[in-house]
Amino acid sequence: MGEAAATTLASVLVLGIGFAGAGYVYHKSYKYLQLKKIENAFEPGDPVLVLAAVGKDIPAPPNAQHWVMREEQDKIDAIINGTTKGHYHLIMGEKGCGKSSMLLEAMRKIDGEGCAMFEAHADLEIFRIRLGKALDYEFHEDYIGGYFSERGPRDTTALLDIERAMNKLEKVALLHRAKKNKPLILIINQTHLIRDDEDGKDLLELLQQRAESWAAANLVTMIFNTDDYWVYERLKQLATRMEVMSVSDLPKAQAITALQKYRQRYFSEQVDHSILEEVYDKVGGRLSFLNRVAKSHNMLATCDRIKEIEKTWFLNQCWILGSEMDDDVMDQQKWASAAMVLALALVDKEEDMDQIYDPERGHVLPWYPMHKAQEIMTRSDFIREMDRLNLFTITSTAQVRASSVPMHRAFKEICAEPGFRQFLQDTLERIAAIESLGRTRELVAKDLVLGGKYRISKPLSFDNRMEVKLDQPEDKS
């Protein structure tokens, strides 16, 4: 009896020790493999470059001569290859001016070694998944040790998962710095897609805290790429090591050169310089517009079509309804009329400018400081939403202007329409009248016969009450 019990106890102990040892080895090996996978994510050959070679027209070595070199490219190259360190960076510029393409070109030059890049998203869960894909981190989703506990490491929120991923990345960055004496690079593209709400604020705060501490320790250089000004406003509040780089449209000479290279690439055609200048006059130096024009057979017609698209977008968002508008749409019309007032002010400002077109630099679009633009609109809460919709743009120095050259041409066409200024004034007066009605209280007097009077008096009292008495005429019958 005792021998059987001893045998059973020994068997249980051996099995327990065996399971415990296997679990411990699995746990340690899992953690080691996690760090190894993240380390491999920063090895040469980033999958982002493979997709970008087709989607973003990033040139492969045989076609490198078709690439448009910008002044900012050298600075971005120095950041990506680790030469510039000790800061994190916010790259700002309008949609389609070449920010992402320059980052991808800089990554291509080093074959993506030490770099990871992913697209932001408004949903935190999708943001978490994209971060995990870029770092090759599974967030314990493949961890079987959770089956043996009541609460596993995946019972958490997206924000906590992102924090855990940052902890793992920090460990890898420490090893990388010891080996190569330069920081890793983490690029968050399209940061403006993060929602401007409490969840988005918490996410940006988490990312910025990491960016600050990693920049100070030369562990990771984080790059935020954005189209919208509100991201800068959020980051500015806590920034000490942030560097802001503004990317704008190409100047005239570079834009014409880029257009000629694009045309040569797509059609093997040498275009007359006068036509190239006319194209620039119509669409400016926005790379996305130049690329679209160069791919078309009739470039000038495409320029006009781009302007019409921008004009239609602006009118669909901001057209005003005049003096006959219903009071139910007043809030939307406040927003629309503010946009129209600002567009008209930008068009009128051209008359006061010394120069609206420079032979060397090209277009000089009129602009107002952000506080002045808010004063013109008489609202301070509209301009950021208009920036998000690409109706106007707010630069890194808080200058407000049209989002592009075609959009400014659309402003001029709209403001030049017969009767537009009076129509805008009628709309503003209608809005003022509706607001006035909302502030007016109407008293209706009843039971007043011919000859009767209301007597309104204010007797001496502590409650400042008013008394209304009805004096009816005497009945002569």
Side-chain angles (χ1 to χ4, degrees):
M1 186 70 179
E3 183 178 351
T7 302
T8 303
L9 179 61
S11 301
V12 170
L13 287 175
V14 169
L15 288 174
I17 293 172
F19 276 118
Y24 179 79
V25 170
Y26 169 77
H27 182 72
K28 287 296 183 182
S29 62
Y30 180 84
K31 285 182 170 291
Y32 171 79
L33 287 175
Q34 275 189 323
L35 297 180
K36 197 66 180 174
K37 287 168 66 177
I38 295 175
E39 187 177 346
N40 289 337
F42 290 92
E43 291 297 318
D46 198 311
V48 173
L49 294 175
V50 179
L51 297 174
V54 178
K56 289 276 187 180
D57 284 334
I58 300 300
N63 296 321
Q65 68 272 15
H66 295 300
W67 180 250
V68 180
M69 292 299 298
R70 300 182 58 122
E71 295 178 357
E72 300 90 350
Q73 188 68 58
D74 291 337
K75 297 179 182 178
I76 291 179
D77 289 347
I79 296 169
I80 297 297
N81 62 32
T83 304
T84 300
K85 51 190 177 182
H87 298 277
Y88 63 102
H89 302 268
L90 175 65
I91 301 178
M92 295 180 62
E94 296 89 346
K95 179 182 69 174
C97 64
K99 304 182 299 298
S100 300
S101 297
M102 284 194 293
L103 289 169
L104 291 167
E105 169 66 5
M107 290 176 63
R108 185 191 66 80
K109 291 177 180 177
I110 60 172
D111 198 20
E113 183 179 3
C115 300
M117 180 179 184
F118 69 99
E119 304 284 331
H121 195 274
D123 190 287
L124 292 186
E125 284 291 341
I126 297 177
F127 187 97
R128 175 188 73 87
I129 291 173
R130 290 181 177 179
L131 173 62
K133 180 182 177 183
L135 300 180
D136 199 9
Y137 178 57
E138 300 293 341
F139 300 102
H140 290 88
E141 290 173 346
D142 56 348
Y143 181 70
I144 64 173
Y147 295 127
F148 304 103
S149 63
E150 293 182 1
R151 184 177 178 86
R154 280 291 302 124
D155 296 335
T156 182
T157 64
L159 207 60
L160 287 176
D161 267 349
I162 294 169
E163 175 69 12
R164 287 195 176 104
M166 295 298 174
N167 291 335
K168 295 293 184 183
L169 177 57
E170 188 174 272
K171 294 179 180 179
V172 173
L174 286 167
L175 299 174
H176 184 270
R177 186 186 64 176
K179 290 180 182 177
K180 300 189 177 181
N181 194 30
K182 65 178 184 178
L184 296 173
I185 309 296
L186 180 62
I187 303 170
I188 304 177
N189 200 28
Q190 299 190 32
T191 313
H192 56 274
L193 295 181
I194 299 173
R195 287 196 183 99
D196 187 11
D197 57 11
E198 289 303 317
D199 289 339
K201 182 179 179 181
D202 292 341
L203 175 58
L204 279 179
E205 185 177 312
L206 183 154
L207 296 172
Q208 187 177 18
Q209 286 177 337
R210 291 291 184 168
E212 290 278 352
S213 61
W214 288 345
N218 290 329
L219 285 178
V220 180
T221 298
M222 292 188 67
I223 300 174
F224 301 93
N225 187 14
T226 180
D227 296 352
D228 296 342
Y229 184 76
W230 76 266
V231 177
Y232 169 76
E233 289 186 313
R234 289 288 190 190
L235 297 179
K236 180 69 172 64
Q237 300 175 30
L238 303 176
T240 57
R241 292 180 172 271
M242 183 175 72
E243 294 285 334
V244 180
M245 180 185 299
S246 180
V247 180
S248 58
D249 292 350
L250 289 174
K252 181 178 178 180
Q254 279 188 294
I256 290 176
T257 302
L259 182 60
Q260 181 63 69
K261 287 185 177 180
Y262 281 140
R263 197 68 178 178
Q264 179 68 30
R265 180 178 180 181
Y266 297 130
F267 292 97
S268 300
E269 175 187 1
Q270 289 292 331
V271 184
D272 187 79
H273 192 268
S274 62
I275 297 178
L276 297 177
E277 284 197 343
E278 189 174 355
V279 169
Y280 174 80
D281 291 343
K282 289 177 177 290
V283 298
R286 187 67 53 85
L287 280 174
S288 59
F289 293 158
L290 294 175
N291 192 21
R292 194 186 313 174
V293 170
K295 288 181 178 179
S296 64
H297 292 282
N298 190 335
M299 294 195 294
L300 298 180
T302 304
C303 292
D304 293 332
R305 190 156 54 248
I306 289 172
K307 184 263 298 176
E308 287 299 322
I309 291 172
E310 296 294 290
K311 181 179 178 180
T312 302
W313 172 248
F314 181 73
L315 291 177
N316 288 346
Q317 300 296 319
C318 305
W319 186 237
I320 48 180
L321 302 180
S323 59
E324 302 300 322
M325 72 174 181
D326 192 83
D327 56 356
D328 292 338
V329 298
M330 187 185 69
D331 290 338
Q332 189 275 337
Q333 282 296 287
K334 284 183 179 179
W335 192 86
S337 61
M340 287 295 178
V341 168
L342 182 56
L344 180 60
L346 289 171
V347 172
D348 289 343
K349 191 177 182 182
E350 283 192 344
E351 299 177 0
D352 302 328
M353 293 175 61
D354 297 331
Q355 191 179 43
I356 62 174
Y357 192 91
D358 185 89
E360 298 295 329
R361 294 186 297 125
H363 291 283
V364 182
L365 294 179
W367 59 271
Y368 282 102
M370 187 173 173
H371 69 278
K372 190 67 176 177
Q374 292 172 337
E375 178 186 334
I376 292 170
M377 294 190 297
T378 68
R379 294 292 293 259
S380 62
D381 53 339
F382 287 164
I383 189 62
R384 292 167 184 82
E385 181 63 25
M386 294 173 185
D387 180 34
R388 292 189 189 99
L389 292 174
N390 297 311
L391 305 174
F392 301 91
T393 190
I394 309 174
T395 67
S396 59
T397 54
Q399 295 178 357
V400 179
R401 53 178 172 79
S403 62
S404 63
V405 171
M407 182 64 81
H408 187 70
R409 290 178 60 214
F411 289 170
K412 294 171 70 174
E413 283 192 7
I414 293 169
C415 296
E417 291 179 1
F420 169 78
R421 293 173 186 266
Q422 183 59 45
F423 191 67
L424 175 59
Q425 186 61 36
D426 292 343
T427 303
L428 295 175
E429 290 176 358
R430 174 61 176 162
I431 292 173
I434 294 173
E435 288 181 330
S436 177
L437 288 173
R439 292 190 294 264
T440 302
R441 295 295 179 265
E442 182 177 312
L443 296 176
V444 179
K446 296 183 178 179
D447 301 328
L448 188 64
V449 298
L450 185 62
K453 297 180 180 179
Y454 281 104
R455 189 184 303 278
I456 302 174
S457 62
K458 185 177 182 182
L460 293 175
S461 63
F462 294 103
D463 54 2
N464 292 322
R465 70 177 184 272
M466 303 285 292
E467 288 187 355
V468 180
K469 293 183 179 180
L470 175 62
D471 293 340
Q472 295 280 18
E474 296 181 0
D475 189 2
K476 298 180 179 180
S477 62

